[in-house]
Amino acid sequence: MIKQIVKIPLELLFFSTAIIALYFLNPSQEHHSICPLAYFEIGFCPGCGLGRSIYYLLHFQFSASWKMHPLGFFAFVVIIVRIYTLIRKTYFSEP
């Protein structure tokens, strides 16, 4: 009997893990950023607050989500559509 190894695309693993991690993120706690603009102490970062915005969106706090970053909803929709596309392409496409 030959076992077939299921390969999960790295992008699918990354985005799925990111959404799950953002759900459990506590935005009121101090956190470390991986943003290079924050690392070099550049004042303006166009993506600042996007993760917290998605956190609030996942918890149905739409007003707080909008205040954190107005494009949080758009980013969330893009990520969900990408996850759906990768799942469909990986597991439901014709060989």
Side-chain angles (χ1 to χ4, degrees):
M1 175 185 250
I2 298 174
K3 293 184 180 180
Q4 184 178 8
I5 298 174
V6 177
K7 291 187 177 183
I8 299 174
L10 185 60
E11 186 180 4
L12 176 61
L13 185 63
F14 175 78
F15 282 132
S16 301
T17 304
I19 291 294
I20 292 168
L22 284 172
Y23 180 81
F24 293 106
L25 172 81
N26 187 351
S28 63
Q29 289 182 340
E30 188 165 329
H31 61 282
H32 297 285
S33 177
I34 59 171
C35 175
L37 297 177
Y39 180 74
F40 291 114
E41 297 180 3
I42 296 174
F44 173 72
C45 176
C48 187
L50 207 51
R52 288 173 284 178
S53 176
I54 293 174
Y55 167 85
Y56 287 123
L57 194 63
L58 290 170
H59 289 89
F60 303 104
Q61 297 176 7
F62 303 114
S63 176
S65 174
W66 180 264
K67 288 178 185 175
M68 282 293 140
H69 200 292
L71 295 177
F73 179 76
F74 177 72
F76 178 72
V77 169
V78 168
I79 292 169
I80 294 301
V81 167
R82 187 64 187 152
I83 288 172
Y84 170 77
T85 304
L86 288 168
I87 288 172
R88 193 167 156 234
K89 178 181 171 185
T90 303
Y91 299 109
F92 299 108
S93 67
E94 294 293 325

